[in-house]
């Protein structure tokens, strides 16, 4: 699906061809039964062709069979709940799907026919997705929830993750002259699926690559991310060090990239913290230390002192650069709900840390009193989305919700599979 928008042009070069000789016989013979439904050889052949047209040129019969089994399970779960796809919803789904390739449903169906794919294959594919959304909406989504703490944790992770600015790549470019695209893709797919180490990728580059870098095992020098083509950046950013990309098709070649290393910088203000802490001035360090030993959590301080002393407790939420130096130094080594003492000789402060969080997270929570040193963008910069900027909380909530919903849907599908009667003739 990732290469869907270029798939129609790609279909002419991926060599769909006719099914193998063994498949030409008994095409409508059931291959596997799923509960009360069967999957035939013909359906598998059609699904292979369909997935290849959608930009997965190396789809195998086994992979197509697995997807058809999953579709049978989705349809079975929908029937149990009385969920059906109306003709109107299916037509909307066909139109929406075809629009991703800049076509109408009729135009897309004609393109399928030119590759030997029946319209019903397209319709069944869309229908299974529609009823499955209905099943997920009934059984999975009501159980999915995203807490404010999860949003804070995700934003904190993003703040603490460097923004990648440079990458250290290796490349492998396999020539794919007209008529040999399939062989090139087969080699590239085999390399990618083997999950090669950097040394193994270098060996493959020396063997197969036609690029000048082949002698060096495909190794390139450090390159700024901004110098890469915009269409390539998402592919590169999706890779962690040690990972190899999926094969990429370009005119006359198939390309693989291997990430050897990456470097980046934290976004402005990412190292700053905002501390929620309490202080209480006391007569001596020993008195403060004795009280600190009795405290277990932040609000416990109010319960451990007299009402008169409780009124003297100061609780503040400040960025590090706003906290008095001696207290800030003490807080730097403390964990949440930990108490300590700042000794002034003739008096002492009991200091208790309640929480700490990145200043950028605090400044995005609606508290305009939090001071950070990162400069605010001017009007011109504000008009352009910043790659260094943090998403708003609702965007993160939606992203986390979708992530958890997809995981829950996959788990439910696995449960359906475990409970199903799946047999072969």
């Amino acid at each position: 699906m990732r290469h869907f928008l270029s798939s129609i042009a790609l279909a002419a070069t991926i060599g769909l061809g006719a099914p193998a000789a063994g498949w030409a016989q008994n095409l409508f013979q059931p291959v596997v039964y799923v509960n009360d439904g069967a999957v035939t050889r013909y359906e598998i052949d059609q699904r292979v062709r369909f997935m290849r047209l959608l930009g997965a040129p190396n789809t195998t019969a086994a992979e197509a069979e697995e997807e058809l089994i999953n579709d049978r399970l989705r349809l079975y779960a929908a029937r149990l709940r009385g969920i059906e796809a109306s003709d109107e919803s299916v037509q909307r789904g066909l139109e929406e799907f075809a629009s991703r390739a800049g076509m109408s449903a009729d135009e897309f169906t004609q393109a399928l026919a030119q590759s030997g794919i029946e319209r019903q294959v397209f319709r069944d594919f869309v229908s299974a997705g529609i009823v499955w959304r209905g099943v997920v909406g009934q059984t999975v989504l009501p159980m999915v929830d995203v807490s404010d703490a999860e949003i804070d944790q995700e934003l904190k992770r993003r703040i603490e993750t460097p923004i990648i600015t440079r990458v250290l790549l290796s490349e492998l470019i396999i020539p794919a002259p007209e008529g040999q695209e399939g062989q090139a893709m087969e080699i590239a797919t085999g390399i990618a699926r083997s999950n090669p180490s950097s040394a193994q990728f270098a060996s493959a580059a020396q063997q197969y690559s036609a690029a000048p870098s082949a002698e060096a095992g495909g190794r390139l020098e450090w390159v700024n991310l901004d110098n890469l083509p915009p269409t390539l950046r998402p592919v590169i950013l999706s890779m962690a060090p040690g990972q190899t990309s999926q094969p990429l098709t370009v005119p006359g070649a198939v390309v693989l990239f291997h990430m050897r290393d990456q470097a980046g910088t934290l976004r402005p203000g990412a190292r700053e913290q905002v501390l929620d802490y309490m202080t209480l001035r006391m007569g001596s360090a020993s008195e403060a230390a004795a009280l600190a030993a009795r405290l277990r959590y932040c609000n416990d301080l109010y319960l451990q002192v007299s009402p008169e002393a409780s009124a003297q407790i100061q609780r503040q939420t400040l960025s590090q650069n706003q906290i008095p130096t001696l207290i800030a130094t003490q807080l730097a080594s403390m964990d949440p709900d930990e108490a300590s003492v700042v000794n002034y000789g003739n008096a002492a402060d009991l200091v208790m840390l309640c929480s700490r969080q990145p200043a950028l997270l605090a400044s995005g929570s609606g508290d305009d009193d939090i001071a950070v040193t990162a400069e605010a963008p001017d009007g011109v910069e504000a008009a352009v989305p910043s790659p260094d900027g943090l998403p708003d909380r609702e965007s993160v909530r939606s992203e986390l919700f979708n992530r958890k919903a997809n995981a829950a849907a996959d788990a439910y599908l696995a449960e359906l599979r475990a409970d199903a009667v799946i047999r072969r003739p």
Side-chain angles (χ1 to χ4, degrees):
M1 296 298 293
R2 198 174 303 162
H3 307 295
F4 181 81
L5 294 180
S6 61
S7 60
I8 301 302
L10 180 64
T13 65
I14 59 180
L16 292 172
W23 281 65
Q25 302 175 0
N26 301 324
L27 275 177
F28 295 98
Q29 175 184 350
V31 173
V32 61
Y33 292 95
V34 184
N35 291 327
D36 56 353
V39 175
T40 67
R41 290 184 183 275
Y42 182 71
E43 289 177 288
I44 294 174
D45 174 65
Q46 287 280 293
R47 179 58 70 94
V48 168
R49 292 167 176 261
F50 184 62
M51 297 310 297
R52 288 180 177 181
L53 186 66
L54 297 187
N58 292 285
T59 300
T60 65
E63 291 169 340
E65 179 184 307
E66 285 298 301
E67 283 305 307
L68 286 166
I69 290 173
N70 287 339
D71 278 356
R72 293 293 193 276
L73 294 171
R74 294 177 179 116
L75 292 168
Y76 177 77
R79 285 198 301 273
L80 290 180
R81 291 161 179 77
I83 298 173
E84 298 180 351
S86 66
D87 291 340
E88 293 79 6
S89 64
V90 172
Q91 186 59 40
R92 286 196 300 271
L94 296 174
E95 295 290 351
E96 190 278 330
F97 195 92
S99 69
R100 302 179 198 176
M103 298 181 178
S104 66
D106 287 341
E107 290 170 338
F108 189 73
T109 300
Q110 292 172 11
L112 294 178
Q114 292 172 4
S115 296
I117 304 168
E118 293 188 3
R119 174 185 174 87
Q120 191 62 37
V121 174
F122 181 27
R123 185 179 179 86
D124 289 346
F125 180 82
V126 170
S127 297
I130 291 173
V131 298
W132 181 241
R133 284 195 292 272
V135 171
V136 170
Q138 279 191 12
T139 61
V140 173
L141 297 188
M143 299 183 293
V144 177
D145 183 50
V146 177
S147 67
D148 288 339
E150 289 176 300
I151 297 173
D152 288 341
Q153 186 63 30
E154 176 63 16
L155 286 169
K156 183 174 182 291
R157 183 191 67 80
R158 297 193 187 191
I159 289 170
E160 295 175 347
T161 300
I163 300 169
I164 303 303
T165 57
R166 296 194 305 154
V167 291
L168 192 60
L169 297 172
S170 294
E171 64 179 0
L172 196 161
I173 302 176
I174 303 173
E178 186 174 356
Q180 298 180 32
E181 297 89 350
Q183 297 95 311
M185 180 60 74
E186 184 176 354
I187 293 171
T189 301
I191 295 171
R193 286 181 175 174
S194 71
N195 191 27
S197 64
S198 294
Q200 291 168 333
F201 189 91
S203 178
Q206 290 172 339
Q207 181 177 357
Y208 296 110
S209 183
S213 61
E215 291 186 6
R219 297 181 183 88
L220 303 175
E221 299 297 327
W222 283 98
V223 60
N224 290 332
L225 193 67
D226 290 343
N227 292 343
L228 294 174
T231 54
L232 185 58
R233 292 173 201 164
V235 175
I236 300 303
L237 286 174
S238 69
M239 299 161 56
Q243 288 186 334
T244 299
S245 71
Q246 292 301 307
L248 306 174
T249 55
V250 298
V254 179
V255 182
L256 290 172
F257 290 102
H258 180 82
M259 179 72 72
R260 300 189 341 259
D261 201 357
Q262 53 191 206
T265 58
L266 292 174
R267 65 190 74 235
R271 296 187 184 277
E272 295 182 51
Q273 293 181 343
V274 167
L275 308 184
D276 174 13
Y277 70 100
M278 306 170 75
T279 58
L280 175 62
R281 180 60 57 91
M282 304 189 72
S284 67
S286 59
E287 182 184 1
L291 176 57
R294 300 198 301 270
L295 300 176
R296 294 293 177 267
Y297 54 90
C298 219
N299 288 335
D300 197 24
L301 179 57
Y302 294 103
L303 305 177
Q304 293 289 338
V305 298
S306 67
E308 294 77 12
S310 177
Q312 302 301 314
I313 296 173
Q314 289 190 328
R315 182 165 184 170
Q316 302 179 82
T317 300
L318 298 172
S319 63
Q320 290 167 304
N321 61 348
Q322 293 179 308
I323 301 173
T325 301
L326 289 178
I327 294 177
T329 302
Q330 191 68 38
L331 289 169
S333 60
M334 294 170 59
D335 295 323
D337 291 324
E338 182 180 357
S340 187
V341 177
V342 175
N343 188 356
Y344 301 111
N346 59 347
D349 274 336
L350 181 140
V351 180
M352 191 162 196
L353 178 65
C354 299
S355 68
R356 67 171 76 242
Q357 63 177 325
L360 291 178
L361 180 57
S363 65
S365 65
D367 189 343
D368 295 331
D369 295 330
I370 301 300
V372 294
T373 59
E375 295 182 359
D378 60 30
V380 176
E381 292 172 333
V384 181
S386 169
D388 299 347
L390 287 173
D392 61 69
R393 295 182 66 84
E394 286 309 307
S395 296
V396 174
R397 185 186 300 277
S398 177
E399 181 180 327
L400 291 176
F401 183 91
N402 290 336
R403 189 187 305 168
K404 294 174 74 173
N406 288 334
D410 289 343
Y412 182 56
L413 184 62
E415 182 181 331
L416 289 171
R417 191 183 187 103
D419 293 339
V421 177
I422 300 176
R423 61 184 179 86
R424 299 186 182 276

